[in-house]
Amino acid sequence: MNLTDETTGSVTDETTDRSKKTDRTEKAAQPVGPGPSSAAPPRRGGPRLAALRWLALRAVALAVLLAAWQLVVVAEVWPRVLVPAPGDVWHQFVLASTTHDGVRGYSGHLLIEHLGVSLRRIGIGTGYAVLVGVPLGLLIGVVRPLAVVLEPAVTFLRTLPPLAYLSLLVIWFGIDEAPKIWLLIIAALPPIAAATAAAVRTVPGQLVEAARSLGAGPVSLLLSVRLPAALPEILTGIRIAVGVAYTSVVAAETVNGVPGIGGMIRDAQRYNQTAVVIVGILAIGLSGILLDALLRAVERLTVPWRSRA
């Protein structure tokens, strides 16, 4: 009995010693310093500070550009009629945006009205291009015989400059709105169709096979699997198409384009009003930046998983 008690006591002592050694080892392994509860709080305003830095950098870049522009004008590298000063451009911007001496803007329309008419034309042309280009791209990407027939035609239109078929459109539809809208449709449709077809072809095969195993038919497979999976690339194609439409609007408005920002530029070019031309170019560029930012926001809302990829 005594032997058993002694044995049990020794085993208990050894266990206690091992536990103490383990506790000392764990304490030694723990990092020295403040724990999670005493960690310093994260700095507030980090993203806001970064945004301010980017804004300041862009402001500095703009100031440098304006200074270089003014330096070129002062040095008379080119005649002032060819390269007007920034102040001249600002003066023409004010004149085109207001009513002065009984004259309303440029050619009887304010700058915002010229820009609004052009944006409306771009919106209509790109809208029709989306309605036709997305289904066309889906068919090209899914149905192989149609791809053989239609894909060369899309590529042919995509390589044509707008001025190449503007005269033909004027002969067919006259000089009113129809040729302008048709030109923007033809310019914007190929990028959308090509992007949609390429996106549909790159849909992962596992998704397609999984949907087929669940009993999805061809139409359901196209609308429920292929189209959602290809949506990010389709939206990219739409953004590219809007850019192509912007580059084509001046060509579309060369014929009876006033009111319109392209028509204003074309009219000012005839009379060597370089400052007005620059005002129109800046209006197109800045509005294009804003519209692209809007399309990016729509893309983030409709396909949020892309930004997290």
Side-chain angles (χ1 to χ4, degrees), residues 29-225:
Q30 290 179 355
V32 178
S37 59
S38 60
R43 293 182 179 178
R44 295 182 179 180
R48 184 180 303 176
L49 182 59
L52 290 176
R53 288 177 179 175
W54 285 115
L55 185 61
L57 180 60
R58 290 175 179 174
V60 171
L62 180 60
V64 171
L65 177 62
L66 291 176
W69 182 0
Q70 183 65 36
L71 183 62
V72 169
V73 173
V74 171
E76 297 182 353
V77 178
W78 291 285
R80 193 155 181 167
V81 68
L82 299 180
V83 182
D88 297 337
V89 175
W90 174 256
H91 178 66
Q92 290 298 328
F93 169 78
V94 173
L95 294 181
S97 303
T98 58
T99 301
H100 54 283
D101 298 331
V103 180
R104 191 169 184 271
Y106 186 88
S107 297
H109 300 276
L110 299 178
L111 177 63
I112 190 66
E113 295 174 347
H114 286 290
L115 184 60
V117 171
S118 296
L119 289 176
R120 180 182 62 82
R121 290 166 177 163
I122 291 172
I124 295 174
T126 307
Y128 280 121
V130 171
L131 292 177
V132 178
V134 172
L136 180 63
L138 291 174
L139 292 176
I140 292 175
V142 175
V143 184
R144 183 60 182 172
L146 287 178
V148 174
V149 176
L150 296 177
E151 199 163 16
V154 172
T155 304
F156 177 79
L157 289 177
R158 187 164 54 88
T159 56
L160 283 179
L163 287 175
Y165 46 84
L166 176 61
S167 300
L168 184 61
L169 294 176
V170 170
I171 293 173
W172 286 351
F173 302 106
I175 61 174
D176 293 329
E177 285 294 298
K180 303 175 182 61
I181 300 299
W182 273 107
L183 185 143
L184 295 176
I185 292 174
I186 297 174
L189 188 147
I192 297 174
T196 304
V200 169
R201 288 170 180 165
T202 57
V203 173
Q206 297 87 342
L207 294 178
V208 177
E209 294 301 327
R212 285 175 179 171
S213 64
L214 294 175
V219 177
S220 178
L221 189 66
L222 179 63
L223 298 180
S224 301
V225 178

